[in-house]
Amino acid sequence: VATVPETTVIRPFRSREHMTRVLQFQYEVYQRNFPGFVVGRAFLADYERQLRQAERSPVEGLWVLEEQGAVIGFVWAALMSTMVDPKVGYIKNVYVVPERRGQALAERLMEQAEQWMREHGVERSALDVTVSNRTAVGLYERCGYHVQRYRMEKDLGEKEPGL
Ligand SMILES: CC(C)(COP(=O)(O)OP(=O)(O)OC[C@H]1O[C@@H](n2cnc3c(N)ncnc32)[C@H](O)[C@@H]1OP(=O)(O)O)[C@@H](O)C(=O)NCCC(=O)NCCS
């Protein structure tokens, strides 16, 4: 495994500099996690809008991993509030370019997001991941995440005649 060059840095996401690259990442993120889903123009336009909003929000944290000016990774976290938990951190998105995987760079991005959560008084971080995305599940397990709830799905198919 190649060592991580010292020129690899984590910086806050800036739409003006990083938007195009981060949008490109979403093809793989969404198509891998939602088998059958096709990322299209409308999805990307909506995602871009959400990124711009998040960039200005104090309860969202977005960073890129840069190497000599090139964006090679991305992480998006948020501070959330639920009916049972007034303050919980949530990892929305994490990505590392294929040619730089296997060097624990995603772990560095996760640590950045979790440190930001701690600084905001959050004691717990949560995330959703698709069961078939073994690499991501492995990453999260290495980072200390464990299954706390199951999200169960059922394919309803066609409506049965006579109902
Ligand atoms: C998930 C993802 C972010 C992981 O990125 P990564 O930087 O390669 O993550 P890591 O390096 O921590 O781990 C990847 C693998 O490299 C291995 N690895 C990590 N550091 C290593 C090191 N120093 N030496 C050897 N192997 C190492 C890990 O054991 C892991 O192996 P596994 O997949 O067999 O479990 C990346 O695969 C990705 O961007 N995927 C597409 C987007 C996606 O699905 N994101 C998650 C959305 S829920």
Side-chain angles (χ1 to χ4, degrees):
V1 175
T3 51
V4 178
E6 279 173 20
T7 47
T8 306
V9 290
I10 293 178
R11 291 180 52 209
F13 168 85
R14 298 276 169 259
S15 298
R16 220 160 4 116
E17 288 172 70
H18 309 129
M19 181 63 83
T20 309
R21 191 80 172 120
V22 168
L23 285 178
Q24 278 170 0
F25 296 163
Q26 302 317 315
Y27 287 95
E28 191 184 354
V29 174
Y30 280 85
Q31 290 176 180
R32 179 172 297 245
N33 282 285
F34 301 96
F37 178 73
V38 178
V39 169
R41 291 233 304 262
F43 175 90
L44 288 178
D46 190 39
Y47 203 86
E48 179 172 345
R49 235 181 345 264
Q50 289 186 39
L51 282 172
R52 286 185 197 284
Q53 267 179 18
E55 189 187 1
R56 294 190 301 267
S57 166
V59 294
E60 312 247 7
L62 305 93
W63 298 268
V64 292
L65 192 64
E66 265 190 9
E67 200 167 79
Q68 286 156 351
V71 181
I72 60 166
F74 172 66
V75 65
W76 182 358
L79 308 177
M80 316 250 287
S81 179
T82 72
M83 295 285 280
V84 293
D85 206 336
K87 223 173 185 188
V88 58
Y90 188 79
I91 302 287
K92 288 187 166 183
N93 197 309
V94 58
Y95 182 89
V96 169
V97 293
E99 56 276 24
R100 297 306 308 277
R101 289 181 190 162
Q103 295 167 34
L105 292 175
E107 281 187 46
R108 281 178 58 178
L109 287 166
M110 294 289 290
E111 280 161 15
Q112 168 68 41
E114 290 166 4
Q115 188 51 36
W116 172 79
M117 289 176 193
R118 280 186 207 101
E119 286 163 11
H120 286 80
V122 170
E123 290 173 2
R124 205 149 42 86
S125 173
L127 54 83
D128 288 291
V129 60
T130 305
V131 173
S132 59
N133 191 354
R134 288 304 313 162
T135 311
V137 172
L139 163 72
Y140 300 140
E141 283 173 348
R142 268 195 312 286
C143 289
Y145 290 76
H146 53 270
V147 176
Q148 195 66 21
R149 292 168 56 79
Y150 290 113
R151 178 197 175 98
M152 301 178 77
E153 294 187 1
K154 172 182 173 182
D155 192 349
L156 296 179
E158 292 291 308
K159 190 177 170 191
E160 281 182 39
L163 290 178

